[in-house]
Amino acid sequence: MIRPEVFAVEPWCVPERELDLELVGHTESVFALSNGHIGLRGNLDEAEPSGAPGTFLNGFYEVRPLPYAEAAYGYPEAGQTMINVTNGKIIRLLVDDEPFDVRYGRLVRHERLLDLRDGVLRREVEWLSPAGQGVRVRSTRLVSFVQRSVAAIAYEVEPLGAAARIVIQSELVANEPVPEETDDPRAAAALRAPLVAEHHAHSDLRANLVHRARASQLRMAAGMDHVVEGPEGTVTASESEPDLARVTVSTELQPGQTLRIVKLLAYGWSSRRSLPALRGQVDAALAAARRTGWDGLRRGQREYLDGVWDRADVQLEGDPALQQAVRFALFHVVQAGARAEGRAIPAKGLTGSGYDGHTFWDMEAYTLPVLTYVAPNAARDALCWRHATMDLAQARARELGLGGVTFPWRTIRGQECSGYWPAGTAAFHINADVADAVRRYLAATGDQEFEEGPGLDLLVATARLWRSLGHHGLQGDFRIDGVTGPDEYTALVDNNVYTNLMAARNLRVAADVAARHPQRAAALDVDQEEIASWRDAADAMVVPFDADLQVTPQCENFTRYRKWDFETTRQDQYPLLLHFHNYLLYSSQIVKQADLVFALYACGDCFDDEQKVRDFDYYERITVRDSSLSAAIQAIVAAEVGHLELAYDLFGETAFIDLRNLAFNTRDGVHLAALAGAWLVAVAGFGGMRHHGQTLAFAPRLPSRLSRLTFGLLHRGQRLRVDVGPDGAQYELLDGEPLEILHHGEAVTVAPGSPQRRPLAPAPRRVAPEAPPGREPPRRHRDA
């Protein structure tokens, strides 16, 4: 784990006061910048040393083989891997012919700061070369939220103590060596130097490179331009070759003089556009960025984020470190989807190559619930990406002998890329997660155009899947057998409760929306008989129940599985999937991540309060949280049933997942779903927000260490602010028409200029259940 002092606690930034080369891979992910279209890892400007280079374009990937010892029908034959594209971050510095390298000479001072208000990464360095010449280097990097194809770097150098000869080499570099993360030589070969050069050019201070991916044949272009401010006598030169373009700036600086370079970067890619078209796109983006200028790009960045924080900031009193972590989390979630526009949101965003850059159910179940209330246009764009891949999902369903669509478990373009089908293809719940994201977006925005178009298409296609996947049993009940729920330690089961409840909601919402738009539904060949069959299946859906234990089994007969021997399980045997065979995991009462507990949250209107208490107690004792997805959901339900201090500890676990490297793999990219979970715990956990129907409901309660919680969200275009303190909860509508909400079940109408305050319902006094031995969350109240 990362020591708390590595990143100093500040409310609106994440500062690193000194450079630790042992942590360089970790900090590259933490300091990554993105706008959802372009992603730049937080590599040092000079590129070395690095944990892993990283310049990513959303949706740009290479194809690699998926090898099987024993192949079978329906197994995907090829995978997709997000690849490191042309790196434009590199700015090399030579001081009196000595390359600036933090590993040599003397590093007097080195600070970096991720500014969450300005949306930039700042760096300030003082360095003595091996020959004793001192320099101060300042750089500021951004990926534009306003001009989505553009990134920019402002780089300044000044000598310290004596005059110095300064040379700066600003580069575009393709096919950088990257660590090989696979033991299969065929897959490794596919990812080694994956870009094939097609064009290179340079002129004055501009240069561009065009490449195509060797196997996927996707084409991308990268371009750079520069604004140079230096003393008289400063000279420049440019050059290019297939995998390298360079602009060189040379000068001599006296003490007090500064060489300043603004580097403008532009990227474009396409599966269809020609080389001249892509080159022209990049040139146009550079021209627009040059016209806007560095100051204009900075202003646009700040204005965009001012809007985000104004409507969506979460304020916590009583725990400054957690306050910083929650804002850091929301920043990463927003930048992952801000300008994705027609692309998916990967599980790591564009911060690292973990999970091959794939998108999972995380997007709809974790990330979109945040974006729906914070940046609804980004949520709409992500759902439109799903809609754009429906042809592939329909083809996959037909391959499996099913109706409707089967969305992939993991993918970049839309084809299934999971080679392990029990945890992949069998996890059909992803289709209900997509449908629920549609339902939530429609309830939160009232977007009629989307409802009648892509929304209805997605709801109908997923409803048809459930009608074909499930079947009516001998007693008329509707069963969904042989599936895998969110808990990947319990695979290929009958009637997983989360899956069944989400499928039932999917069927009902599809029926309702189709009934509201009969002409559009008819164009999809939906008739009254099919709508009735959806309602019948939903009403007859099987939800197992153990009458002896009075708990809800995660799936049929789950509470009869063998119990796991936690006492003899060593700490070094977690995560269990690396030390125990799947057969043992699949046949035991051991839970990797929230599954039935997820149903208590997502489908909470299907359980009464006492049932939630009993179910949470049962599953908390057997959930090992071998996935970063789990802590947030457990925290939300813990807060709802009254275990506020446990919820607070779990809140810390999900919020600090990357700042403290709690999963020991942040070097591969941030855990976007867990970071989204930090917002969800604040708003849905301690704020008690639920949106099961058309009305927003709140049931706020605070743990003892938090004296106040304030958060904002968008609903139907209106800005609502909720302020929870020891004296009650205040609901304030900042604009728009009066809004009816629920506060602990009481209807409250909020109008602009007329905030409403209500007392908090007391939390029930309960003894919190114990986690499995050694799997307790870090005790947040001690840290706080």
Side-chain angles (χ1 to χ4, degrees):
M1 294 192 300
I2 300 300
R3 305 181 312 277
E5 61 270 19
V6 168
F7 300 115
V9 174
E10 297 286 348
W12 284 104
C13 62
V14 179
E16 177 194 50
R17 302 302 190 200
E18 61 183 40
L19 184 65
D20 185 341
L21 294 182
E22 295 285 324
L23 303 178
V24 67
H26 172 84
T27 55
E28 286 168 357
S29 296
V30 168
F31 290 147
L33 296 177
S34 173
N35 60 8
H37 182 66
I38 303 169
L40 305 181
R41 275 176 68 79
N43 304 106
L44 301 177
D45 300 294
E46 57 275 13
E48 298 176 17
S50 75
T55 301
F56 305 114
L57 299 177
N58 194 344
F60 193 89
Y61 63 91
E62 183 57 302
V63 176
R64 61 181 178 86
L66 286 178
Y68 300 97
E70 297 181 22
Y73 175 80
Y75 283 18
E77 297 180 357
Q80 299 163 356
T81 299
M82 182 175 71
I83 57 176
N84 178 47
V85 300
T86 305
N87 185 358
K89 302 188 295 289
I90 300 174
I91 301 177
R92 304 189 194 276
L93 169 65
L94 289 89
V95 180
D96 290 340
D97 303 323
E98 196 76 59
F100 168 47
D101 188 318
V102 296
R103 295 167 293 188
Y104 301 96
R106 180 182 165 210
L107 196 60
V108 179
R109 187 164 71 93
H110 190 285
E111 294 186 7
R112 286 187 293 176
L113 183 147
L114 179 65
D115 190 316
L116 305 177
R117 281 186 183 272
D118 285 350
V120 300
L121 176 63
R122 296 195 185 94
R123 181 189 186 199
E124 185 162 339
V125 184
E126 290 183 11
W127 179 72
L128 280 176
S129 74
Q133 175 62 52
V135 290
R136 179 181 292 117
V137 179
R138 295 186 181 93
S139 70
T140 304
R141 181 186 300 172
L142 67 81
V143 178
S144 176
F145 290 123
V146 178
Q147 299 183 34
R148 78 166 193 165
S149 298
V150 170
I153 304 167
Y155 192 91
E156 297 180 357
V157 183
E158 63 175 297
L160 298 175
R165 298 188 309 278
I166 299 296
V167 177
I168 288 177
Q169 297 172 322
S170 176
E171 298 179 345
L172 294 174
V173 179
N175 287 319
E176 294 176 287
V178 296
E180 292 182 357
E181 300 177 355
T182 174
D183 294 329
D184 179 59
R186 293 167 296 175
L191 302 179
R192 193 180 301 118
L195 297 175
V196 177
E198 292 192 321
H199 171 80
H200 61 91
H202 62 275
S203 176
D204 297 326
L205 299 178
R206 303 181 72 166
N208 58 57
L209 302 177
V210 181
H211 289 78
R212 75 173 189 280
R214 194 177 301 275
S216 70
Q217 293 295 300
L218 299 176
R219 177 177 284 120
M220 56 104 18
M224 63 178 178
D225 196 1
H226 302 79
V227 178
V228 177
E229 299 174 10
E232 187 176 352
T234 299
V235 298
T236 63
S238 60
E239 58 186 309
S240 64
E241 56 188 67
D243 283 350
L244 171 70
R246 177 184 292 140
V247 170
T248 301
V249 181
S250 178
T251 193
E252 182 167 343
L253 296 178
Q254 300 297 321
Q257 290 184 318
T258 299
L259 174 63
R260 183 174 190 266
I261 296 175
V262 173
K263 182 175 187 177
L264 303 172
L265 293 168
Y267 290 91
W269 75 265
S270 177
S271 60
R272 298 179 179 179
R273 290 201 295 275
S274 67
L275 188 156
L278 269 183
R279 189 179 61 201
Q281 176 190 347
V282 166
D283 287 344
L286 286 173
R290 190 177 183 97
R291 178 179 178 276
T292 302
W294 172 253
D295 291 341
L297 291 171
R298 284 283 306 275
R299 277 195 305 274
Q301 201 79 343
R302 177 64 186 241
E303 289 169 3
Y304 181 92
L305 286 172
D306 280 348
V308 170
W309 297 120
D310 182 56
R311 62 180 176 266
D313 185 27
V314 174
Q315 299 172 46
L316 303 173
E317 293 183 10
D319 193 337
L322 193 59
Q323 171 70 87
Q324 176 194 45
V326 171
R327 284 182 175 142
F328 167 81
L330 183 55
F331 175 81
H332 266 288
V333 172
V334 167
Q335 71 167 3
R339 301 300 305 273
E341 295 171 8
R343 309 289 175 211
I345 300 175
K348 297 289 188 183
L350 299 178
T351 67
S353 58
Y355 295 125
D356 284 326
H358 289 171
T359 294
F360 297 77
W361 71 295
D362 310 14
M363 183 176 81
E364 283 84 9
Y366 290 81
T367 307
L368 294 195
V370 179
L371 292 177
T372 295
Y373 300 103
V374 168
N377 287 340
R380 189 186 202 273
D381 286 338
L383 291 171
C384 285
W385 170 78
R386 282 288 186 198
H387 183 262
T389 67
M390 279 183 62
D391 58 336
L392 299 171
Q394 288 168 338
R396 179 65 171 164
R398 287 195 298 270
E399 183 180 31
L400 299 176
L402 298 170
V405 293
T406 300
F407 285 111
W409 178 242
R410 58 186 302 170
T411 191
I412 294 178
R413 167 64 181 86
Q415 296 91 343
E416 179 61 76
C417 293
S418 173
Y420 184 66
W421 71 270
T425 298
F428 288 100
H429 68 82
I430 188 172
N431 299 281
D433 300 324
V434 172
D436 207 49
V438 172
R439 176 200 65 82
R440 185 186 306 107
Y441 172 77
L442 294 176
T445 65
D447 186 340
Q448 289 297 307
E449 180 184 11
F450 183 85
E451 176 176 295
E452 193 171 350
L456 182 58
D457 291 344
L458 289 165
L459 291 169
V460 166
T462 48
R464 284 172 169 164
L465 167 72
W466 298 118
R467 199 63 188 81
S468 68
L469 183 65
H471 64 97
H472 284 285
L474 296 177
Q475 298 178 344
D477 52 0
F478 193 79
R479 305 175 55 84
I480 303 177
D481 298 327
V483 302
T484 300
D487 171 27
E488 294 154 17
Y489 285 173
T490 312
L492 304 179
V493 299
D494 297 340
N495 296 307
N496 171 260
V497 171
Y498 175 86
T499 302
N500 283 19
L501 290 178
M502 293 288 283
R505 178 186 283 169
N506 186 168
L507 290 161
R508 290 191 180 101
V509 172
D512 292 344
V513 175
R516 284 203 294 272
H517 303 286
Q519 290 185 325
R520 179 75 174 83
L524 299 175
D525 296 325
V526 176
D527 56 25
Q528 292 301 313
E529 183 177 350
E530 185 174 18
I531 291 175
S533 75
W534 295 343
R535 297 191 193 279
D536 289 344
D539 292 341
M541 190 69 69
V542 171
V543 180
F545 186 73
D546 188 324
D548 295 332
L549 296 177
Q550 288 294 294
V551 298
T552 308
Q554 185 169 281
C555 59
E556 216 161 69
N557 297 318
F558 179 81
T559 50
R560 302 294 181 255
Y561 289 6
R562 69 162 61 92
K563 294 185 182 298
W564 189 267
D565 187 355
F566 288 108
E567 296 301 330
T568 62
T569 305
R570 304 188 311 271
Q571 286 304 296
D572 63 0
Q573 290 179 303
Y574 291 97
L576 299 178
L577 77 166
L578 299 181
H579 300 93
F580 297 91
H581 193 274
N582 282 336
Y583 171 75
L584 188 60
L585 297 174
Y586 291 176
S587 60
S588 303
Q589 290 189 59
I590 184 78
V591 179
K592 178 184 181 184
Q593 62 201 57
D595 188 313
L596 190 281
V597 172
F598 207 137
L600 298 180
Y601 164 51
C603 304
D605 50 344
C606 298
F607 303 85
D608 64 36
D609 291 344
E610 291 307 311
Q611 190 62 52
K612 290 178 183 178
V613 173
R614 290 194 297 271
D615 287 347
F616 181 81
D617 184 272
Y618 189 90
Y619 288 94
E620 184 66 15
R621 299 174 191 275
I622 60 173
T623 301
V624 295
R625 298 196 318 286
D626 276 352
S627 166
S628 63
L629 299 180
S630 196
I633 304 304
Q634 290 173 260
I636 292 169
V637 180
E640 180 178 1
V641 301
H643 302 309
L644 295 176
E645 302 312 312
L646 173 59
Y648 182 50
D649 289 342
L650 290 163
F651 188 9
E653 181 173 313
T654 197
F656 288 102
I657 186 72
D658 291 313
L659 287 179
R660 302 280 173 83
N661 194 26
L662 299 182
F664 304 104
N665 60 2
T666 295
R667 64 184 180 277
D668 299 327
V670 301
H671 298 75
L672 197 63
L675 296 179
W679 188 92
L680 292 173
V681 176
V683 174
F686 297 123
M689 188 189 86
R690 298 294 185 273
H691 205 176
H692 295 313
Q694 295 299 311
T695 303
L696 277 174
F698 298 89
R701 293 189 181 111
L702 294 181
S704 59
R705 296 294 306 208
L706 294 182
S707 57
R708 185 169 299 279
L709 163 68
T710 304
F711 59 88
L713 53 84
L714 287 175
H715 180 264
R716 304 277 174 137
Q718 301 162 279
R719 289 183 299 150
L720 178 68
R721 182 166 294 155
V722 181
D723 186 350
V724 185
D727 55 344
Q730 177 173 288
Y731 302 94
E732 182 179 9
L733 191 65
L734 301 181
D735 50 43
E737 297 297 317
L739 175 66
E740 182 177 287
I741 61 172
L742 296 176
H743 169 81
H744 287 289
E746 173 195 357
V748 177
T749 300
V750 188
S754 180
Q756 298 294 310
R757 178 171 292 278
R758 294 293 186 275
L760 302 183
R765 301 178 68 87
R766 307 188 196 279
V767 177
E770 295 181 356
R775 305 306 290 168
E776 303 86 355
R779 298 304 300 272
R780 180 72 208 134
H781 71 274
R782 291 178 186 169
D783 200 4

